[in-house]
Amino acid sequence: ATDKLPAAKKTYFLQVGSFHTEEEADNLKAKLALQGFEAVVQTAEIPDKGVWHRVRVGPLTDLDQISKTKVDLVSNGFNADLIKVNTENQ
């Protein structure tokens, strides 16, 4: 028998920056918007490091879309680190 557990859906973001201040994160988000990239700011509490505001483009689910977006970001002078986020299927 091949009983499968519900697969976790993988969602990816391209992280373009991480800042201590929300203002810096919003500035980067605005720069990305001017270049046609839709970004989100995700705020996270990092143990021993305080609050960070991460600027991420996504969510992305398709590998071709991820590759193209990363190339576009880099060619526009942005750094882009791939971040995988697992979300359980409900």
Side-chain angles (χ1 to χ4, degrees), residues 29-38 72-73 75-78:
K29 182 180 175 182
K31 284 180 192 170
L32 287 161
L34 289 173
Q35 299 293 331
F37 299 103
E38 193 171 322
D72 288 349
L73 284 164
S75 68
N76 279 284
F78 298 106

Side-chain angles (χ1 to χ4, degrees), residues 9-21:
K9 184 179 175 191
K10 291 182 180 60
T11 301
Y12 297 88
F13 288 89
L14 287 165
Q15 184 164 307
V16 185
S18 186
F19 304 96
H20 275 301
T21 70

Side-chain angles (χ1 to χ4, degrees), residues 17-34 37 39-43 53-56:
S18 186
F19 304 96
H20 275 301
T21 70
E22 201 168 351
E23 185 181 1
E24 286 177 293
D26 286 339
N27 285 343
L28 180 54
K29 182 180 175 182
K31 284 180 192 170
L32 287 161
L34 289 173
F37 299 103
V40 294
V41 176
Q42 297 176 335
T43 301
H53 304 278
R54 300 168 175 155
V55 181
R56 294 178 171 181

